[in-house]
Amino acid sequence: MTQRAMEEEQQARIGNQKWTQYLAAFIATIGGFIAGTALGWTAPAGPMMKNNQYSFVISIESLAWIGACMPLGAMLGCPVTAGLVDKLGRKNMMIMLCIPTLVGWAMMIWAESVAWICAGRLLTGFASGSLSVIVPLYTSEIAEKEIRGTLGTYFQLQVTGGILFTYVIGSYFDIFGLTIICAIIPIAYVALMVLIPESPNFHLMKGNVEKARLSLRYFRGPYGTVDQELSIMQDSLAKTERERVPLMEAFQTTSAKRGLFIGLGVMLLQQFSGCNAVIFYATFIFKEAGSAMEPNTSTIIVGIMSVIATYVSTLIVDRLGRKILLLSSIIIMAICTLLIGAFFYMKANEYDVSSIGFIPLTSMCVFIILFSLGFGPIPWMLIGEIFPAQIKGTACSVACMANWFFAFIVTKFFSSLVSAIHIYNTFWLFTLFSILGTFFVICIVPETKGKTMDEIQEMLGAGSDLTPPTHANASIDTKGKF
């Protein structure tokens, strides 16, 4: 009984010491909330701009570009971040990115032309794209392997929270009130970021072992095995340094190529599975299904479902695993887009659909829930796990840049695609991508639940094509500086 009590006390101590990791991840991923407000702003702001709440006229084509400028700016932010994140640090970069965010919101508040709004959207997009690289990287580096998946899903949870926030605020305020409130959030973010430490990995990369120890002590608490974990981290970084090769050569390794293929694949599937189409057409689908709800109400309901489902994902991702959630998500999403396409096909061909009006509405709700459980949050978490340390910053930025590029394509050209091939064929095209995604997940995506970073790299083939260095200057002093 005494031994059992001691074991229970030890487990309680281990559980209690994780709260700092949850807190730091929550604060850092407010960057995702900021990105969510930038993404969601056009949904309530679009009708306001049509109603001439600005002092100048905004055409339909201009609205399309205003929406597309955000992911376009995010694409530009990703490569810039890749070059700076290992020089300036994760925490410092997250704080500094609030500057272009604030400037962007200010340009949109006091805009004198469409060009001003587009420039503001580019800046807020630039910051959002950069945060989508840094935040998952930071959370993966501070987390213990048992909760790394949970913390990794916080970013997408915050993104969906930011989108819902704009939906709610946009239903009560005009475009200027909405934009001003969105601009306040980065200021609060800076104040909160001061409270948490830099990633211990970054301190070790800079050779400051004592700062790394203090940072790790904060995240692991008084009962954490800090020195033991610090030694493992140093050995891992030492191995990385011994095997360091030029960047382009590093991308030729088996683990790097497999990691990049997986990262780009899940990002493509996230965007081309139809998530944005379902969200864009949410109000239209509600209307076609015979719903009497106001457009703002239906949009808010969609946002609430997304946030709740993403939150559930944070609770189960480290229990069920990444792969099963991705697989369940993509299969059900394929069925949903197939049914939505079938409904619109029958409607376009003048079939009587009055008795099946519930199908598009139900399919849309199920789609959003399953997307938010799997293909919404997990790709962002996965890219923080699958890349070798040598190329992690660059590879994460490439994957994120690809994601924003795909988002730009969908945002800018979705309406044109609907006009060209009809809405039902468009949804069936999304079904095709989801079917291909099912095979991709089964055959290509590894299960990373409960694995250390080194174990994940071994799964991806690390070491199979590397030869040990023979030159003396490849060594590293793991007790001091690199």
Side-chain angles (χ1 to χ4, degrees):
M1 290 297 295
T2 304
Q3 183 179 357
R4 187 179 214 176
M6 290 175 64
E7 288 177 355
E8 289 177 354
E9 182 182 357
Q10 180 67 17
Q11 288 299 319
R13 287 176 174 179
I14 292 172
N16 289 337
Q17 73 190 28
K18 287 182 169 60
W19 72 268
T20 51
Q21 296 173 60
Y22 287 110
L23 176 64
F26 176 80
I27 291 174
T29 55
I30 292 174
F33 192 94
I34 293 170
T37 58
L39 276 168
W41 181 83
T42 49
M48 298 178 192
M49 288 186 279
K50 286 182 182 178
N51 292 333
N52 300 318
Q53 290 195 12
Y54 280 109
S55 60
F56 46 89
V57 177
I58 301 176
S59 66
I60 299 298
E61 179 64 19
S62 295
L63 280 175
W65 276 109
I66 288 170
C69 276
M70 187 270 168
L72 193 61
M75 286 173 54
L76 300 175
C78 294
V80 173
T81 302
L84 295 176
V85 68
D86 287 338
K87 296 177 181 178
L88 301 179
R90 288 76 165 126
K91 178 181 174 179
N92 290 337
M93 282 287 290
M94 285 187 275
I95 291 174
M96 287 188 291
L97 284 167
C98 290
I99 297 173
T101 307
L102 287 170
V103 173
W105 287 122
M107 293 185 73
M108 292 154 67
I109 292 167
W110 290 292
E112 296 182 359
S113 67
V114 171
W116 280 51
I117 301 175
C118 287
R121 293 280 290 164
L122 282 169
L123 285 172
T124 55
F126 177 90
S128 299
S130 299
L131 288 166
S132 70
V133 175
I134 302 169
V135 175
L137 179 63
Y138 179 83
T139 53
S140 71
E141 289 181 346
I142 67 170
E144 294 174 82
K145 65 180 182 179
E146 293 80 8
I147 61 170
R148 192 175 63 238
T150 297
L151 300 192
T153 58
Y154 277 17
F155 180 79
Q156 182 67 16
L157 177 62
Q158 294 271 24
V159 170
T160 57
I163 293 172
L164 175 59
F165 179 81
T166 59
Y167 291 169
V168 174
I169 298 299
S171 65
Y172 291 99
F173 292 86
D174 65 8
I175 196 166
F176 301 104
L178 168 66
T179 311
I180 289 168
I181 292 171
C182 289
I184 294 172
I185 298 167
I187 299 172
Y189 186 47
V190 172
L192 289 171
M193 282 297 298
V194 174
L195 303 177
I196 62 174
E198 177 60 87
S199 158
N201 292 63
F202 176 72
H203 286 311
L204 284 179
M205 289 171 64
K206 293 301 180 183
N208 198 323
V209 179
E210 191 54 39
K211 282 188 177 181
R213 181 178 285 108
L214 291 173
S215 174
L216 199 59
R217 176 67 67 189
Y218 172 87
F219 292 120
R220 301 298 182 260
Y223 303 106
T225 55
V226 171
D227 289 333
Q228 180 181 347
E229 188 171 351
L230 196 66
S231 177
I232 293 172
M233 290 169 65
Q234 287 178 299
D235 289 343
S236 179
L237 285 171
K239 179 183 176 183
T240 300
E241 188 65 21
R242 286 196 303 270
E243 297 173 350
R244 185 173 298 280
V245 293
L247 185 62
M248 293 308 298
E249 189 176 335
F251 270 101
Q252 297 302 311
T253 63
T254 300
S255 59
K257 287 188 286 188
R258 288 180 180 173
L260 194 61
F261 183 65
I262 293 166
L264 293 176
V266 294
M267 290 305 188
L268 182 145
L269 291 169
Q270 185 193 67
Q271 292 299 326
F272 283 91
S273 62
C275 60
N276 283 317
V278 171
I279 293 170
F280 291 160
Y281 268 75
T283 302
F284 178 72
I285 292 172
F286 268 96
K287 183 179 177 181
E288 289 297 310
S291 174
M293 281 187 289
E294 289 292 322
N296 283 341
T297 304
S298 62
T299 307
I300 289 171
I301 289 173
V302 169
I304 291 173
M305 287 192 298
S306 181
V307 170
I308 292 174
T310 307
Y311 175 70
V312 171
S313 179
T314 69
L315 302 178
I316 63 177
V317 68
D318 279 319
R319 297 180 183 180
L320 299 181
R322 288 72 158 138
K323 194 160 184 170
I324 187 65
L325 287 176
L326 285 174
L327 193 58
S328 303
S329 175
I330 199 79
I331 290 173
I332 302 299
M333 285 157 56
I335 295 172
C336 291
T337 51
L338 178 67
L339 291 174
I340 293 172
F343 175 86
F344 283 115
Y345 175 82
M346 294 175 68
K347 189 175 178 66
N349 286 276
E350 300 182 352
Y351 287 93
D352 182 11
V353 294
S354 57
S355 61
I356 58 172
F358 66 93
I359 287 179
L361 179 58
T362 304
S363 298
M364 185 195 68
C365 294
V366 173
F367 180 99
I368 290 168
I369 291 170
L370 267 295
F371 175 80
S372 300
L373 280 173
F375 257 93
I378 292 178
W380 295 109
M381 177 209 66
L382 205 59
I383 63 171
E385 297 182 324
I386 60 175
F387 295 125
Q390 295 175 348
I391 63 165
K392 181 170 281 192
T394 302
C396 281
S397 73
V398 170
C400 290
M401 185 166 60
N403 181 281
W404 290 111
F405 173 73
F406 300 142
F408 168 75
I409 295 296
V410 172
T411 305
K412 183 67 180 70
F413 298 108
F414 176 71
S415 297
S416 301
L417 189 63
V418 170
S419 299
I421 64 172
H422 305 294
I423 187 170
Y424 50 86
N425 283 324
T426 303
F427 274 98
W428 285 341
L429 182 61
F430 295 142
T431 302
L432 176 61
F433 274 103
S434 293
I435 292 171
L436 295 174
T438 301
F439 291 103
F440 183 85
V441 173
I442 293 172
C443 302
I444 305 296
V445 177
E447 178 55 75
T448 60
K449 182 188 77 169
K451 301 287 194 302
T452 65
M453 296 298 187
D454 286 341
E455 288 171 343
I456 293 170
Q457 290 308 303
E458 289 297 325
M459 289 171 58
L460 295 175
S464 62
D465 46 10
L466 291 173
T467 55
T470 57
H471 45 85
N473 60 2
S475 62
I476 179 173
D477 179 9
T478 59
K479 297 182 180 179
K481 295 186 176 181
F482 293 95

